[in-house]
Amino acid sequence: MAVIPIGPIHPILKEPLRIKLHVEGERVVDAEIEMGYVHRGIEKIMEGKHYLKGVHLAERVCGICSYIHTQTFVECIEHISKIDVPDKAKYLRVITCELERIHSHLIASAVYNFAIEHETIGMWLLNVREMIMDLLEMITGNRVNMGFNVVGGVRVDIDREMMDKIYRTLDKFEDDIKNIIEAFETGPMIGLRSKGIGVIGYGEIMKTRAVGPVARASGLPESDWRLRHPTYQELKFKPVWREEGDNFARMMVRHEEVLASIELVRKALELYEECSGGVRKKVHVKGGEGEWRNEAPRGEVLYKIAITNDGIIKRIMIRTPTVMNLEAYKYMLKTCPTISDAVATYASIDPCVSCTERAIIVKDVNNGKERTIKF
């Protein structure tokens, strides 16, 4: 048996991570995953700071799905302080959240297509993604770190001209993305590299507690936290899911979620038009503890916050989706016939290392010794 190291710097890895593949010839039999190259300590930095600075820092947990982190942070504070948000703000949050989901899924699919060496579809996906990035910039003023969410609502409103542009862009985008999805779904080379590769079943998904599109591609629709969000319940949201559990299913779940997000944005715009009033209100934050979950593009993201009556963050814990999906990756390797399939399977879980890495300092109360655990 030989060990093939991949990373921590490798063309297929978006962020630093080391994977040690245990192989017999070309067949992958096991893997070790080493983290610890990009831990930033954002939770510790937040402690002792005012919650307004916490919003700013939460947006920097992830460089791709930055918006959902601010939304989860402010909704957790609103939950602790029992703050109701104006209806307009609720629908604007859905619109921005779903646009972010679309652009994140398009990056994930592009990276996967590059991994299986189908550069044409990869470039098409990155090209159409620009339409969505332009909409996010128009609504929030920025493309990545949007600074849109505040406790009590959102920072700015949209007007009629912007709404018309969102409708027109989505119509054009929907036609383009459907053509790309059809090319992916029917492509013979894509099928050979994706179907029956990296399979993980329902039972193994339950063992690993995988989340997001990884779980939904193995028959777990209830893993989508939008089902439990009050605004999405108004929109009668239905999750997308499959049962095959292979690389192809994971990518198709993301593709179908892109189409579902387009419909959610249209529904949210219709409800937004029926609303009146402002998009934010003056709030009074109360001290206490609470937790809130949302469905990020990669799956469940959890914030637990303890805050004082003065709005100072006493303690915060953030759990992002990739840490559970990395555990599921080890099971997927059992059906990877070659090393290149193992690399493509890693891309199929859409990992984000920067927002996943954590370090815990464990102190022995008997002898006072400390040790650091990284994961």
Side-chain angles (χ1 to χ4, degrees), residues 46-106:
M46 283 188 188
E47 288 179 17
K49 290 189 168 52
H50 196 269
Y51 77 87
L52 293 175
K53 290 185 178 176
V55 181
H56 181 78
L57 284 165
E59 194 151 51
R60 279 139 183 89
V61 172
C62 181
I64 296 174
C65 52
S66 58
Y67 180 82
I68 194 67
H69 281 274
T70 62
Q71 181 169 323
T72 312
F73 182 92
V74 300
E75 286 184 343
C76 190
I77 300 285
E78 289 161 1
H79 172 65
I80 294 169
S81 303
K82 297 182 173 47
I83 296 168
D84 289 326
V85 175
D87 286 342
K88 271 188 168 182
K90 289 179 186 174
Y91 300 127
L92 285 174
R93 283 180 180 175
V94 169
I95 291 165
T96 319
C97 188
E98 293 309 311
L99 290 175
E100 181 183 71
R101 189 180 318 280
I102 293 172
H103 95 71
S104 178
H105 280 351
L106 296 181

Side-chain angles (χ1 to χ4, degrees), residues 143-294:
R143 287 165 64 92
V144 181
N145 291 331
M146 300 169 211
F148 192 57
N149 269 309
V150 292
V151 176
V154 296
R155 199 172 295 279
V156 291
D157 202 352
I158 59 175
D159 57 26
R160 183 71 246 176
E161 187 181 343
M162 294 164 82
M163 291 174 64
D164 291 340
K165 185 169 181 182
I166 295 171
Y167 279 124
R168 286 197 307 272
T169 304
L170 287 182
D171 289 343
K172 172 75 169 59
F173 173 78
E174 188 175 25
D175 291 340
D176 290 351
I177 195 64
K178 280 182 175 175
N179 288 332
I180 298 173
I181 292 172
E182 185 181 0
F184 182 92
E185 196 170 10
T186 56
M189 188 279 274
I190 293 169
L192 284 171
R193 290 294 312 273
S194 308
K195 292 180 180 176
I197 306 290
V199 179
I200 182 167
Y202 181 88
E204 292 166 329
I205 284 289
M206 295 301 285
K207 271 189 208 171
T208 60
R209 300 181 182 178
V211 295
V214 173
R216 290 192 285 283
S218 298
L220 201 67
E222 58 271 29
S223 65
D224 198 321
W225 277 88
R226 287 177 288 180
L227 284 168
R228 302 162 184 82
H229 195 285
T231 313
Y232 282 91
Q233 287 172 342
E234 284 180 41
L235 297 168
K236 297 182 172 48
F237 167 73
K238 291 181 181 175
V240 171
W241 62 287
R242 290 193 170 218
E243 292 184 336
E244 303 92 318
D246 54 10
N247 289 358
F248 187 79
R250 284 187 282 280
M251 300 319 300
M252 285 305 298
V253 164
R254 291 190 182 93
H255 294 158
E256 288 162 8
E257 284 191 354
V258 166
L259 301 177
S261 291
I262 294 170
E263 288 308 308
L264 281 170
V265 172
R266 286 177 177 144
K267 279 185 190 175
L269 278 170
E270 288 169 9
L271 292 174
Y272 169 86
E273 288 185 76
E274 297 171 6
C275 300
S276 58
V279 295
R280 61 187 293 188
K281 65 181 185 182
K282 196 171 181 180
V283 297
H284 174 63
V285 171
K286 299 173 185 172
E289 295 180 13
E291 65 179 59
W292 195 260
R293 291 175 170 83
N294 270 322

Side-chain angles (χ1 to χ4, degrees), residues 2-6 19-23 28 30-31 329 333 339 342:
V3 176
I4 304 293
I6 300 173
I19 304 171
K20 291 180 180 173
L21 294 177
H22 296 233
V23 297
V28 181
D30 200 0
Y329 172 63
L333 288 171
I339 294 168

